[in-house]
């Protein structure tokens, strides 16, 4: 077993976490917590202003299954450490995402693409669109040269509407406010189920991706936070259909919790977010990666080392299972 899997990452010192004595009250809900409140996504008072801050290259939405145990989820890590770029929703209250390629769902499957495949797919489409425009311009030019100026040109083309205005985008609120609705609106040719919950949020292009180059193929990534047996309910929701699916390759989880019969490639939520933004940076950003997002693993690495320290001389069941599932 690898003893120090995070030793090569630029993670801030977590020594101050060991100075906490007992538990404290959450400053918002007043419930007893150790390091942070996993329902309010705020650190306890003693840690206020001490946690590292991470700025991501894209926005991240986490959709939690209602049965997911908050205290066991690593989704809170992302919200605590990258509060300006991460939003957490509890299913079925999820946003009504645009289908313009700016939002992707990170989920493995037969139709899922790697980042490389998604980028190549976009390049092909851009070249096709560019060729179509050139052909149209050439055609129009030939028509102008050959036609009688006293007669109108007979060529017409219906231009696509590229306006960012969307009648479904009915609010400028981006704080994650949700409103239960009984919807009859069609999405992707299907009706939403009665009583579903849609987040009123207008997606703005401005500020979506900080410091990214024009090579970026998407600006927001959606992650499902649940046990692997529960993901199907969310991933097949009508409101997520039509989003490009992407997957992470060649990554191995270091999660300390027992994941029965799951292969090592089944990552925890915070691991998935970390590996995605790192890959995104290396593929689409104009500057070299220099540990920019390593602090996303601040709590994860701390808990990993703490738990393995308590089990020193023994092997965690999660580690044993991963070794078996590799074979």
């Amino acid at each position: 077993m690898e003893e120090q899997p995070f030793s090569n990452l630029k993670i801030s010192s977590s020594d101050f976490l060991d100075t906490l004595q007992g538990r404290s009250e959450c400053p918002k809900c007043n419930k007893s917590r150790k390091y942070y409140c996993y329902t309010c996504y705020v650190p306890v008072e003693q840690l206020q202003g001490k946690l590292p801050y991470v700025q991501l290259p894209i926005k991240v939405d986490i959709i939690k299954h209602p049965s997911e145990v908050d205290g066991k989820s690593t989704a809170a890590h992302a919200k605590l450490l990258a509060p300006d770029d991460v939003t957490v929703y509890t299913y079925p209250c999820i946003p009504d995402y645009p289908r313009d390629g700016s939002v992707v769902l990170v989920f493995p499957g037969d139709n899922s693409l790697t980042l490389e495949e998604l980028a190549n797919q976009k390049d092909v489409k851009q070249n096709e669109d560019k060729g179509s425009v050139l052909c149209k311009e050439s055609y129009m030019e030939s028509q102008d040269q050959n036609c009688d100026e006293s007669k109108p040109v007979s060529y017409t083309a219906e231009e696509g509407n590229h306006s960012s205005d969307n009648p479904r985008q009915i609010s400028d609120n981006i704080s994650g406010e949700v409103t239960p609705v009984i919807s009859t609106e069609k999405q992707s040719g299907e009706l939403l189920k009665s009583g579903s919950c849609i987040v009123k949020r207008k997606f703005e292009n401005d500020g979506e991706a900080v410091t990214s180059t024009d090579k970026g193929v998407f600006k927001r990534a959606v992650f499902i936070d649940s046990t692997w047996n529960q993901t199907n309910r969310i991933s097949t929701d009508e409101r997520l259909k039509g989003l490009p699916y992407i997957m992470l390759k060649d990554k191995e989880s270091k999660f300390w919790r027992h994941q029965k019969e799951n292969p090592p490639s089944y990552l925890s939520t915070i691991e998935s977010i970390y590996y995605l933004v790192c890959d995104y940076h290396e593929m689409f950003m104009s500057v070299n990666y220099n540990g920019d997002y390593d602090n996303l693993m601040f709590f994860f690495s701390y808990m990993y080392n703490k738990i393995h320290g308590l089990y020193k001389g023994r092997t965690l069941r999660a580690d044993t299972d991963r070794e078996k599932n590799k074979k």
Side-chain angles (χ1 to χ4, degrees), residues 145-168:
Q145 292 175 350
N146 297 329
C147 70
D148 186 342
E149 291 184 359
S150 64
K151 297 180 181 180
V153 178
S154 60
Y155 173 83
T156 60
E158 182 178 351
E159 299 291 338
N161 181 13
H162 298 291
S163 171
S164 61
D165 295 333
N166 186 323
R168 292 180 294 182

Side-chain angles (χ1 to χ4, degrees), residues 24-287:
S24 305
E25 287 187 352
C26 168
K28 287 190 174 182
C29 68
N30 298 322
K31 292 183 179 179
S32 177
R33 300 292 188 243
K34 178 60 176 177
Y35 305 108
Y36 56 83
C37 182
Y38 40 75
T39 53
C40 301
Y41 306 116
V42 294
V44 296
E45 186 175 355
Q46 296 94 315
L47 298 185
Q48 294 286 334
K50 295 183 179 181
L51 299 182
Y53 172 81
V54 184
Q55 189 175 24
L56 304 182
I58 57 175
K59 298 297 182 183
V60 168
D61 285 0
I62 301 172
I63 302 176
K64 288 174 56 65
H65 191 282
S67 298
E68 180 72 1
V69 180
D70 291 339
K72 293 183 178 181
S73 172
T74 61
H77 299 181
K79 181 60 179 174
L80 283 160
L81 300 167
D84 294 332
D85 298 316
V86 176
T87 307
V88 182
Y89 303 96
T90 300
Y91 187 82
C93 295
I94 61 178
D96 178 21
Y97 294 108
R99 304 307 200 272
D100 57 3
S102 64
V103 182
V104 299
L105 177 64
V106 183
F107 192 78
D110 295 337
N111 297 322
S112 297
L113 303 174
T114 63
L115 287 184
E116 292 88 347
E117 291 169 338
L118 189 67
N120 291 336
Q121 191 179 77
K122 182 181 180 182
D123 288 341
V124 170
K125 185 178 186 306
Q126 286 179 335
N127 290 334
E128 290 176 347
D129 291 343
K130 185 181 295 185
S132 177
V133 170
L134 291 175
C135 288
K136 176 183 172 182
E137 290 176 348
S138 177
Y139 178 84
M140 291 296 291
E141 183 178 353
S142 65
Q143 289 294 316
D144 289 342
Q145 292 175 350
N146 297 329
C147 70
D148 186 342
E149 291 184 359
S150 64
K151 297 180 181 180
V153 178
S154 60
Y155 173 83
T156 60
E158 182 178 351
E159 299 291 338
N161 181 13
H162 298 291
S163 171
S164 61
D165 295 333
N166 186 323
R168 292 180 294 182
Q169 298 170 345
I170 55 178
S171 172
D172 288 332
N173 174 24
I174 60 171
S175 64
E177 175 186 351
V178 297
T179 303
V181 296
I182 297 179
S183 174
T184 58
E185 180 184 1
K186 285 187 176 181
Q187 294 186 5
S188 303
E190 299 290 340
L191 290 176
L192 289 180
K193 295 180 180 179
S194 175
S196 62
C197 194
I198 296 178
V199 174
K200 293 182 179 180
R201 180 171 72 185
K202 184 177 181 180
F203 287 87
E204 300 287 354
N205 288 329
D206 295 340
E208 285 275 302
V210 293
T211 69
S212 64
T213 69
D214 57 0
K215 295 181 181 179
V217 293
F218 57 90
K219 293 180 169 60
R220 186 179 299 270
V222 181
F223 294 82
I224 297 175
D225 184 48
S226 70
T227 64
W228 282 99
N229 292 331
Q230 297 169 334
T231 55
N232 187 62
R233 176 182 173 187
I234 300 177
S235 64
T236 57
D237 189 283
E238 296 294 337
R239 291 165 292 174
L240 296 181
K241 282 188 176 179
L243 295 181
Y245 278 37
I246 63 174
M247 61 181 176
L248 302 170
K249 293 184 64 178
D250 304 324
K251 310 298 183 184
E252 181 176 317
S253 177
K254 300 300 179 185
F255 200 27
W256 51 88
R257 295 193 185 280
H258 169 59
Q259 304 286 318
K260 186 178 180 181
E261 297 179 356
N262 289 337
S265 59
Y266 280 31
L267 306 173
S268 65
T269 301
I270 192 62
E271 289 175 299
S272 298
I273 295 172
Y274 170 70
Y275 287 127
L276 177 75
V277 295
C278 286
D279 289 348
Y280 184 99
H281 187 111
E282 293 181 350
M283 180 168 294
F284 303 122
M285 304 290 283
S286 59
V287 295

